[in-house]
Amino acid sequence: MIELVLQKLFQVLSEARGKIVAGGWRPDMPFPDDETERETLATVIENTLLFGDILLRMPDMTHEIYKSQANGRELIVWSVQLCNETDVFDKAERKLLGLMSQELDIIPKEESYVNPYRIKLKRQKEKKQTPKKKEKQPREKKPRLSGRRQEL
């Protein structure tokens, strides 16, 4: 399911990129007046944020699909740069773009960056958290009152 969503997302981003480049719009220009150009720009922004959300919540699966796409990295880097250069995001969306960029190694990861949804990371934590079993110390053999043999 995720694979189909991401394939369609890359296809939509690729088509939108072609339209934006052909239209000649750049982030330093005012927003386009043409309705179709604005919709194309909105498509890029929405799909970039959607990809970021999917990536951060399912990183292992998304990385596999992302690496298998022929021009996936180039397309995502372009869309992230476009989104960063436009001034339409609030603080939460900028944070999402920053985390997404770190997850994809577009920008260097901060020392404090950790994606809690990573399966590999969870497995490492589980290994660290599993308590070690205490070794049983052998019991001393002492004489006992036996209840086994009862005389009648």
Side-chain angles (χ1 to χ4, degrees):
M1 179 74 162
I2 296 297
E3 188 172 355
L4 294 174
V5 169
L6 291 178
Q7 286 175 354
K8 185 66 175 173
L9 186 138
F10 283 120
Q11 178 187 355
V12 168
L13 277 177
S14 181
E15 291 170 4
R17 179 183 183 187
K19 290 177 185 177
I20 289 175
V21 170
W25 186 83
R26 294 184 318 273
D28 59 346
M29 298 169 65
F31 268 76
D33 294 328
D34 184 33
E35 184 70 26
T36 57
E37 289 179 1
R38 278 194 309 234
E39 286 180 13
T40 304
L41 183 59
T43 300
V44 170
I45 291 170
E46 290 169 357
N47 282 294
T48 302
L49 292 175
L50 174 64
F51 178 75
D53 197 35
I54 293 170
L55 172 72
L56 293 175
R57 300 206 186 274
M58 294 177 264
D60 297 312
M61 185 183 310
T62 306
H63 275 287
E64 288 179 25
I65 298 166
Y66 172 71
K67 288 176 184 176
S68 70
Q69 294 293 321
N71 62 343
R73 179 161 177 81
E74 176 187 340
L75 195 59
I76 294 297
V77 169
W78 172 83
S79 67
V80 167
Q81 288 175 345
L82 181 87
C83 289
N84 280 328
E85 292 173 6
T86 58
D87 195 28
V88 295
F89 296 115
D90 62 4
K91 188 177 180 179
E93 292 164 334
R94 290 223 177 263
K95 184 175 181 178
L96 174 70
L97 283 171
L99 292 173
M100 179 176 119
S101 298
Q102 290 179 56
E103 181 70 32
L104 293 173
D105 292 325
I106 295 173
I107 61 173
K109 291 181 181 171
E110 296 174 4
E111 289 181 25
S112 61
Y113 176 78
V114 175
N115 187 341
Y117 294 101
R118 276 235 182 247
I119 292 173
K120 294 175 187 175
L121 184 65
K122 283 183 180 178
R123 287 183 184 152
Q124 289 173 353
K125 282 184 179 180
E126 286 173 1
K127 286 181 182 177
K128 288 181 183 178
Q129 290 178 354
T130 53
K132 294 181 180 178
K133 292 184 179 179
K134 293 182 181 178
E135 291 183 28
K136 291 185 178 180
Q137 294 182 356
R139 289 184 152 188
E140 287 184 38
K141 302 255 180 175
K142 296 180 182 177
R144 299 180 183 189
L145 295 174
S146 65
R148 292 183 192 167
R149 294 185 203 168
Q150 293 182 1
E151 294 181 22
L152 294 175

